[in-house]
């Protein structure tokens, strides 16, 4: 649990592929890129959604979903090609929304998958669009064996006046 200064609040901003893919109505298989976890109500959440919910329960943090304006293709190979192109070109995909009251938060948990050892470009867009000076960033992530890869360095570059705390990842 990360304590905030008096009167400060925490925010969990996370990016999940399964919340950023286009129309899946024609698909007959589960195309979620991480393991799906079902609760008793039958709702399915991926690892980052569950992590955000646990942090919210433990800290009282608000949750912000990082959503792209142009959804990713639900077909993994097509999505991966776009993701590689975004990484190679250091693009900043347009996001659907911004955090209106960012000044209210002292601690920002950034939830992200690790894509090819790097930060997915929608997360880079979030960091690029928001001045996190003076805030504490707590990275949380999911990976397939790379740990955070280059994400911590990328966070330092995109939020140079923020404090990057030790975060945690799940393999």
């Amino acid at each position: 649990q990360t304590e905030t200064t008096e009167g400060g609040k925490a925010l969990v901003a996370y990016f999940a592929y399964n919340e950023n893919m286009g129309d899946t109505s024609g698909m007959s298989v589960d195309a979620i890129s991480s393991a799906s976890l079902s609760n008793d109500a039958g709702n399915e959440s991926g690892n980052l959604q569950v992590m955000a919910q646990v942090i919210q329960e433990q800290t009282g943090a608000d949750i912000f979903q990082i959503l792209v304006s142009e959804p990713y293709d639900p077909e993994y190979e097509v999505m991966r090609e776009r993701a590689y192109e975004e990484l190679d070109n250091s693009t900043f995909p347009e996001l659907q929304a911004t955090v209106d009251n960012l000044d209210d938060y002292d601690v920002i948990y950034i939830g992200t998958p690790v894509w090819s050892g790097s930060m997915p470009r929608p997360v880079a867009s979030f960091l690029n669009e928001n001045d996190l000076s003076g805030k504490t960033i707590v990275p949380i992530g999911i990976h397939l064996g790379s740990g955070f890869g280059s994400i911590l360095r990328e966070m330092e570059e995109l939020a140079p006046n923020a404090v990057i705390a030790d975060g945690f990842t799940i393999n």
Side-chain angles (χ1 to χ4, degrees):
Q1 180 171 344
T2 299
E3 295 184 20
T4 61
T5 59
E6 189 174 322
K9 295 181 355 183
L11 175 73
V12 182
Y14 74 93
F15 169 78
Y17 166 54
N18 67 318
E19 293 179 349
N20 280 279
M21 67 173 88
D23 182 17
T24 60
S25 62
M27 297 183 74
S28 60
V29 296
D30 179 7
I32 295 174
S33 63
S34 62
S36 298
L37 305 174
S38 296
N39 62 24
D40 292 336
N43 297 327
E44 291 187 356
S45 297
N47 292 330
L48 286 166
Q49 292 95 328
V50 171
M51 291 169 77
Q53 292 164 1
V54 168
I55 292 168
Q56 181 182 45
E57 290 168 8
Q58 295 293 316
T59 67
D62 293 331
I63 294 180
F64 178 80
Q65 297 166 288
I66 299 172
L67 300 172
V68 292
S69 293
E70 181 184 332
Y72 287 90
D73 196 289
E75 184 180 327
Y76 178 76
E77 293 299 324
V78 176
M79 178 282 297
R80 189 175 73 174
E81 185 176 312
R82 173 179 162 189
Y84 282 152
E85 183 177 309
E86 289 175 349
L87 288 169
D88 290 344
N89 295 322
S90 298
T91 59
F92 292 103
E94 182 179 337
L95 303 180
Q96 289 184 18
T98 60
V99 179
D100 294 328
N101 55 339
L102 193 61
D103 290 341
D104 293 349
Y105 301 103
D106 292 330
V107 176
I108 313 289
Y109 293 86
I110 303 288
T112 181
V114 180
W115 284 2
S116 296
S118 300
M119 177 186 302
R121 296 310 295 175
V123 178
S125 291
F126 176 83
L127 292 170
N128 188 56
E129 292 176 7
N130 293 287
D131 182 6
L132 301 182
S133 297
K135 300 190 184 302
T136 299
I137 297 173
V138 181
I140 60 172
I142 57 173
H143 64 92
L144 296 174
S146 65
F148 276 119
S150 64
I151 287 179
L152 300 179
R153 179 184 49 75
E154 294 172 76
M155 283 185 177
E156 289 173 354
E157 291 172 3
L158 290 166
N161 297 314
V163 174
I164 311 295
D166 290 336
F168 53 94
T169 59
I170 296 173
N171 182 347

